[in-house]
Amino acid sequence: MPPEDESSPLLPRPSSSLSTPTKRTESTMASSAIFWKVAAISGATAVGFGAFGAHGLKKRIADPAKLASWGTAAQYQLIHSVALLMASGNPVAASLFTAGMTMFSGSIYALTLNPDKFKFLGPVTPIGGVCLIAGWLVLAFGKRGGPPKFPRF
């Protein structure tokens, strides 16, 4: 066996098959980039909806409970937009957060604006809440691969 010198690597070099991205990693990177964009857009709309609720909605709706519901929807959307950014590399958690924000916050927004027209969305709100909870549980008990890998654009 030849003697090792200081330039020899301590770990074996990866074979070319390991260093070439597979379709699965390319697919994961693409979905991560999509979830990243969805999260950023969701965060921006949450801030906009929150501002509208604090300023513009008061001219249209006088009920403090409805205004509080709107604020809750905006708050949950914003918090879960950040969670979606962090979970963008975990497609299951990211999908649950996306579905949960859409159903939970979206149904509250619609019900606040026009409860008669959107009455059918009442049962959607708790389903969205369950999706949000499930997203957190997937993060807690799912496969962990270290810190999130942010997509490159």
Side-chain angles (χ1 to χ4, degrees):
M1 183 177 240
E4 298 290 326
D5 65 19
E6 289 183 26
S7 65
S8 297
L10 296 175
L11 299 173
R13 295 176 195 242
S15 69
S16 62
S17 65
L18 292 176
S19 62
T20 305
T22 63
K23 286 185 179 182
R24 181 169 173 86
T25 58
E26 288 172 0
S27 171
T28 302
M29 289 181 343
S31 71
S32 178
I34 290 168
F35 283 124
W36 184 268
K37 287 182 181 182
V38 168
I41 291 167
S42 177
T45 58
V47 172
F49 287 161
F52 174 70
H55 303 289
L57 198 58
K58 289 182 181 180
K59 296 174 187 172
R60 186 174 168 183
I61 297 173
D63 184 358
K66 286 184 179 183
L67 293 172
S69 292
W70 185 278
T72 298
Q75 180 183 18
Y76 273 57
Q77 182 181 351
L78 185 59
I79 290 167
H80 287 90
S81 295
V82 175
L84 179 55
L85 287 173
M86 300 308 293
S88 63
N90 182 328
V92 175
S95 296
L96 287 165
F97 285 142
T98 302
M101 286 188 296
T102 303
M103 290 189 286
F104 182 82
S105 294
S107 64
I108 292 173
Y109 294 141
L111 288 165
T112 300
L113 290 174
N114 194 336
D116 294 331
K117 183 177 180 180
F118 296 110
K119 189 178 216 175
F120 70 95
L121 290 177
V124 173
T125 308
I127 295 170
V130 169
C131 288
L132 295 174
I133 293 167
W136 288 108
L137 292 173
V138 167
L139 288 181
F141 298 108
K143 182 178 175 185
R144 286 171 280 199
K149 295 177 183 170
F150 301 111
R152 294 182 180 180
F153 298 100

